[in-house]
Amino acid sequence: MICHRNQPQYELFFKNTSSLVTGNNFRDRVTKFNGDFDSIDGYPILAHSKSRLSTCWPYIALQKPNKTLHVVNWVGVDPNAWQNQTLGVDALEGSSLAILPLSSSYQAPYHVALVYRQPDGVLALHSLEYGSAGSELRTGSSYLPLQQCLSSPRQL
């Protein structure tokens, strides 16, 4: 949930039957009961047919048809309200994805970690940060096997 003009707003993102990322927007006392189309619908993003999505505002993580991981983030400037960026890492085809918040307050910069499976099946994570330098998305320069991260939490 996010707030828009002091009203709760919910964003639901999903992959349609054509593997395009789409969304539905629900704003308290503003949108109709079944929601409204989301701005991401005007920014076509094709996902792998087996891709899963993971979201944590302002991020949407997905796997592209070439098996690379991408993050789409909202920057709030129409008509280019969304940015689509490759993370430069491949994942196991159809890998589960999870975005985990890494900060205790919900304000810029938004620090999160993306957990996924590498092509060999090993769990790994990739750090993301948005908002500390304008509308620039910074990503971790490398990924670490999750086992190493769990044994050395200070490396995050």
Side-chain angles (χ1 to χ4, degrees):
M1 179 191 79
I2 56 177
C3 283
H4 179 74
R5 296 187 180 128
N6 295 323
Q7 293 291 333
Q9 177 175 317
Y10 300 87
E11 305 272 346
L12 173 66
F13 298 102
F14 56 96
K15 198 174 66 170
N16 69 17
T17 57
S18 300
S19 294
L20 288 172
V21 176
T22 189
N24 224 344
N25 183 303
F26 301 88
R27 289 192 0 219
D28 193 31
R29 298 182 209 135
V30 176
T31 55
K32 54 192 173 212
F33 177 73
N34 57 348
D36 206 353
F37 291 107
D38 193 80
S39 62
I40 199 161
D41 295 343
Y43 189 80
I45 301 164
L46 181 65
H48 189 288
S49 62
K50 294 182 180 177
S51 178
R52 299 179 186 202
L53 302 181
S54 182
T55 62
C56 180
W57 189 259
Y59 304 109
I60 304 169
L62 62 125
Q63 188 175 39
K64 296 290 276 182
N66 65 0
K67 299 182 187 169
T68 60
L69 294 179
H70 278 241
V71 66
V72 180
N73 64 299
W74 185 80
V75 295
V77 181
D78 289 325
N80 300 314
W82 296 92
Q83 291 180 343
N84 182 1
Q85 182 174 333
T86 181
L87 298 181
V89 295
D90 291 340
L92 186 67
E93 183 178 56
S95 174
S96 294
L97 303 171
I99 296 180
L100 306 172
L102 295 178
S103 58
S104 59
S105 65
Y106 188 74
Q107 58 189 0
Y110 304 104
H111 298 280
V112 297
L114 172 63
V115 180
Y116 65 97
R117 290 199 180 271
Q118 298 174 143
D120 62 4
V122 173
L123 282 173
L125 63 79
H126 197 87
S127 64
L128 302 170
E129 178 185 311
Y130 169 74
S132 62
S135 61
E136 179 182 340
L137 174 70
R138 295 188 313 194
T139 67
S141 58
S142 62
Y143 54 89
L144 297 171
L146 193 58
Q147 184 62 36
Q148 181 180 348
C149 294
L150 294 175
S151 63
S152 304
R154 291 188 183 155
Q155 292 180 2
L156 294 176

